Amino acid sequence: MTSRSHSERDCVEVVQTILDWLDDADEPDAAAETLDDVFSLLADQRRRLLLSVMRNYGEEVTLPDAAEEVAARETGHTVRNISAERVTEVYLSLYHDHLPRLVDAGLLEYDQERDLVAPVAV
């Protein structure tokens, strides 16, 4: 018998929790569709990082600042050690792809005129 790593145990726990949630759902088909949407949103690391950045800030920040922080987390470097080109690439992908998905899902708000991103108050 092999022992499971902490990561594997966490994964099993999350899967069990999700399966329990699906079993308890009043409308299983709607719950499964919601779950598919959640997994689709969280499938991309850059979206997960942006959500994490916004949770940490807890208030509106400029999209360029959020892009810097996402780039730093992706690379493991400080913002000072990341090239402007890398931050621009992250900014563009957030602006054109990831941010609209998260706004449409109701997880973030975006003020295009001021280029500000904010977590949705829950």
Side-chain angles (χ1 to χ4, degrees):
M1 177 184 244
T2 61
S3 64
R4 291 189 176 160
S5 71
H6 183 67
S7 168
E8 288 172 323
R9 286 191 304 271
D10 289 348
C11 183
V12 168
E13 211 172 286
V14 169
V15 168
Q16 292 297 340
T17 300
I18 290 169
L19 291 174
D20 290 344
W21 178 77
L22 284 171
D23 287 345
D24 293 342
D26 292 334
E27 298 180 38
D29 291 340
E33 187 175 325
T34 298
L35 192 57
D36 289 344
D37 292 342
V38 168
F39 285 148
S40 178
L41 282 172
L42 296 177
D44 190 276
Q45 180 188 25
R46 193 164 280 171
R47 281 194 292 277
R48 292 190 308 270
L49 289 173
L50 178 58
L51 288 169
S52 178
V53 165
M54 297 311 302
R55 279 186 69 174
N56 286 344
Y57 279 95
E59 61 187 19
E60 66 183 20
V61 297
T62 67
L63 186 55
D65 287 345
E68 283 182 342
E69 186 64 31
V70 168
R73 292 178 185 204
E74 284 180 344
T75 63
H77 299 312
T78 63
V79 171
R80 290 179 145 177
N81 294 327
I82 300 171
S83 70
E85 292 80 17
R86 175 65 184 239
V87 174
T88 299
E89 183 271 323
V90 170
Y91 174 91
L92 291 172
S93 75
L94 292 176
Y95 180 82
H96 289 290
D97 182 19
H98 306 297
L99 184 58
R101 292 173 194 245
L102 296 170
V103 169
D104 288 347
L107 294 168
L108 297 176
E109 295 175 345
Y110 180 60
D111 180 341
Q112 188 171 10
E113 286 182 24
R114 296 172 41 213
D115 208 14
L116 291 173
V117 182
V120 172
V122 180

